[in-house]
Amino acid sequence: MPDLEQWPTGRLLTTAARLVEHAWNERLVDIGVTHAGVIALGVLADQGAMTQASLAQIVRVQAQTMGKTLSRLESRGHVTRVRNDLDRRSHMVSISPAGRRVLEASEDIERTLVPGGGLVSEELRNHLQTVIRELGAPRWSSTPAGAGSRGGADGSDAAGPAATVPS
């Protein structure tokens, strides 16, 4: 084991984030969903049905990336997509009852991922939210929907999804 006491904070943070995501994904595979899928399901559960483009904007990924995530979720019955009555070129996406069950199971996985509940500490959450707000604000406030930053649910960029930061 490396001497973690000597590591700079940034290295500790990025290494911890990668290890948590790997461990989480290893357990999520058992319930048939990915980290990206959990994020999409969480937004749909919290905010209700919306277009793929809106969901992509909230999660801070490209619409095409969201489309791939939604295709996986739809094939497993976790979401439904129906033609948008207001714009026939788009679809409205909503979480299904099966998707809600998977989301609940993923929340249990998150709570038990690190022994002792280290990931649900309010102090840790508050520190991480501060980092995300401060570093994410300039990146996210100037990026139009679907352009620029690819960061988020698919892990393609370090930016990450703002929608998953509860207040």
Side-chain angles (χ1 to χ4, degrees):
M1 178 64 100
D3 184 10
L4 301 178
E5 300 296 323
Q6 302 300 315
W7 285 17
T9 303
R11 183 174 178 194
L12 290 169
L13 182 60
T14 57
T15 301
R18 279 194 309 274
L19 290 171
V20 165
E21 187 160 7
H22 288 305
W24 201 22
N25 279 331
E26 288 166 2
R27 293 190 49 198
L28 289 174
V29 75
D30 294 336
I31 60 172
V33 70
T34 63
H35 180 224
V38 168
I39 292 170
L41 290 173
V43 171
L44 292 169
D46 290 343
Q47 299 186 24
M50 64 184 67
T51 64
Q52 175 178 317
S54 295
L55 182 57
Q57 181 179 11
I58 291 168
V59 175
R60 310 250 185 243
V61 297
Q62 296 286 326
Q64 181 179 6
T65 300
M66 183 54 66
K68 292 175 186 176
T69 298
L70 291 175
S71 290
R72 285 191 302 271
L73 290 170
E74 187 177 34
S75 73
R76 294 183 177 272
H78 299 145
V79 298
T80 57
R81 289 195 269 193
V82 296
R83 186 84 50 205
N84 184 351
D85 289 337
L86 300 175
D87 180 354
R88 304 290 293 162
R89 297 168 297 169
S90 67
H91 290 85
M92 294 297 289
V93 183
S94 57
I95 187 169
S96 70
R100 288 188 188 281
R101 288 189 297 273
V102 164
L103 185 58
E104 287 175 23
S106 74
E107 291 165 355
D108 288 338
I109 289 171
E110 183 177 17
R111 274 191 296 278
T112 61
L113 193 60
V114 174
L119 293 181
V120 292
S121 152
E122 279 305 310
E123 182 179 8
L124 175 61
R125 291 180 51 77
N126 290 337
H127 286 304
L128 292 173
Q129 288 172 9
T130 298
V131 169
I132 291 167
R133 283 186 188 107
E134 288 179 8
L135 297 179
R139 173 182 294 254
W140 295 332
S141 64
S142 64
T143 305
S149 174
R150 296 182 328 253
D154 69 341
S156 60
D157 191 312
T164 62
V165 182
S167 11

